[in-house]
Amino acid sequence: MRYLVFGATGNVGSRVAQRLINSGARPSVFVRSAKRAKALFDDQVDIHVGDLDNPGSSLAKALADVDGIFLVTDGPDLEEHDRVVSFAARRAGVSHVVKLSTLDVRTGIGTGPWHARGEDAIRESGVAFTFIRSAGFMSNALSWTQSIRGEGMVRSSTGVGKIAFIHPDDIAAVATVSLMTRDYDGQAPVITGPEALSYGEMAAAIGRAIGNPVRFEEVTDAQAYARTAEWAGEGAYADALVDIWRAVRESRLDTVTDDVKQITGREPISFNQWAAENASSFQ
Ligand SMILES: NC(=O)c1ccc[n+]([C@@H]2O[C@H](COP(=O)([O-])OP(=O)(O)OC[C@H]3O[C@@H](n4cnc5c(N)ncnc54)[C@H](OP(=O)(O)O)[C@@H]3O)[C@@H](O)[C@H]2O)c1
């Protein structure tokens, strides 16, 4: 079987490509930078350079003789990329698209509506699909590095609300099983970490991992928006993040499922383990 991975230089896509390599496959990757792909995978993948904003003939070339795709797209207009890839995949005879989506497709919160439109576009293309509806990523906590390093502090508008963040390796494991077995065609598994935790509890877990206490301080939605706009810019992205944090605060995002275990055969990775693996980022 031939696989093509989008987002292979990113958080989840790189792990999917690596898992495919580890299973003995030689995946292709569709990347904007051959240099970054080469640094990650050396000569274990076939590299296709292209940009989904302006794919030209690069997409059709990358899709030739491919059986399954792992697709990562992002941003308020991700539907357009999902449409372009899935329709081109159908034309090229690709039989299966696994899309990284979000649990919030069900709740309509944050980026949920973006991914709902993306899922619809893929359904319209007629290609077989699996939508991986993921909870928030444990790696989002890397955005706390500066305040933890500088002040031993995590600030957020989530209050005591909880969310079951998932380890990116678990997302990649579910995606890879879906690609390789085809057992989840037409399905949209909702995947989460093993337990819902408040941001204060996650801050404390990082504190234990680094051997220094980390405190939690609640901020208002307006403060959270202002701080986010500093790095993400004003607009849809910052709005989506503040929406998600409000939903956490109001206990609308504390879903825990056992789909990771059902699909991979093992328990999802704990936040304590993620914190231990990433302790050096916070020191
Ligand atoms: N964070 C969360 O809590 C969460 C929860 C649920 C779902 N999600 C979803 O997960 C996805 C993000 O996954 P991630 O964290 O793995 O992403 P990521 O680390 O930001 O990586 C994004 C990847 O997409 C590539 N890319 C970006 N624009 C491209 C373009 N125009 N053409 C081709 N490739 C392009 C990037 O390539 P370069 O290396 O060239 O930039 C990179 O490889 C989003 O759809 C998000 O909504 C996130």
Side-chain angles (χ1 to χ4, degrees):
M1 299 295 278
R2 300 273 312 155
Y3 302 104
L4 176 64
V5 178
F6 291 80
T9 51
N11 188 15
V12 179
S14 62
R15 295 167 197 263
V16 171
Q18 193 58 55
R19 281 178 173 271
L20 290 169
I21 293 167
N22 295 349
S23 76
R26 181 181 172 82
S28 298
V29 295
F30 183 92
V31 290
R32 294 191 287 194
S33 159
K35 195 171 161 199
R36 286 199 68 197
K38 184 93 179 147
L40 283 166
F41 308 113
D42 200 11
D43 59 358
Q44 301 179 95
V45 299
D46 291 320
I47 298 174
H48 294 270
V49 175
D51 187 328
L52 287 177
D53 285 334
N54 185 14
S57 61
S58 63
L59 191 54
K61 280 186 193 148
L63 289 166
D65 299 323
V66 165
D67 299 295
I69 287 176
F70 178 65
L71 182 57
V72 178
T73 54
D74 206 354
D77 303 322
L78 63 81
E79 163 195 6
E80 215 29 61
H81 288 174
D82 285 353
R83 182 179 303 281
V84 164
V85 172
S86 58
F87 277 75
R90 183 67 199 267
R91 280 194 300 276
V94 172
S95 44
H96 186 209
V97 173
V98 175
K99 168 182 160 62
L100 176 53
S101 184
T102 171
L103 171 156
D104 294 336
V105 165
R106 296 198 319 180
T107 62
I109 294 162
T111 64
W114 311 349
H115 281 288
R117 292 193 294 270
E119 291 185 2
D120 285 345
I122 293 173
R123 277 195 198 90
E124 278 171 38
S125 77
V127 72
F129 63 82
T130 304
F131 301 140
I132 310 284
R133 291 185 176 166
S134 176
F137 301 173
M138 290 180 182
S139 44
N140 293 351
L142 290 171
S143 66
W144 306 336
T145 48
Q146 226 182 329
S147 68
I148 290 179
R149 278 183 173 164
E151 310 167 69
M153 174 77 83
V154 169
R155 291 190 183 84
S156 147
S157 51
T158 49
V160 294
K162 298 190 178 201
I163 184 165
F165 276 162
I166 183 167
H167 196 299
D169 273 343
D170 283 334
I171 307 168
V174 167
T176 310
V177 169
S178 303
L179 270 176
M180 298 189 76
T181 66
R182 305 285 310 267
D183 285 349
Y184 301 93
D185 284 24
Q187 298 185 38
V190 174
I191 58 170
T192 72
E195 62 175 333
L197 298 169
S198 69
Y199 278 38
E201 288 168 329
M202 290 188 271
I206 294 171
R208 287 192 297 277
I210 64 176
N212 269 321
V214 177
R215 289 167 298 132
F216 172 78
E217 185 178 276
E218 185 166 2
V219 298
T220 64
D221 286 347
Q223 288 168 322
Y225 181 87
R227 283 153 27 98
T228 306
E230 280 172 22
W231 59 268
E234 302 266 346
Y237 210 89
D239 280 336
L241 288 175
V242 174
D243 267 6
I244 291 169
W245 296 325
R246 186 185 307 110
V248 172
R249 187 175 70 231
E250 294 170 355
S251 302
R252 288 183 282 136
L253 275 183
D254 53 6
T255 308
V256 180
T257 72
D258 69 350
D259 286 34
V260 169
K261 173 121 192 254
Q262 295 294 333
I263 295 170
T264 67
R266 60 165 175 75
E267 296 293 341
I269 302 166
S270 69
F271 189 82
N272 281 339
Q273 182 175 326
W274 181 88
E277 289 166 4
N278 290 275
S280 61
S281 301
F282 299 102
Q283 284 164 326

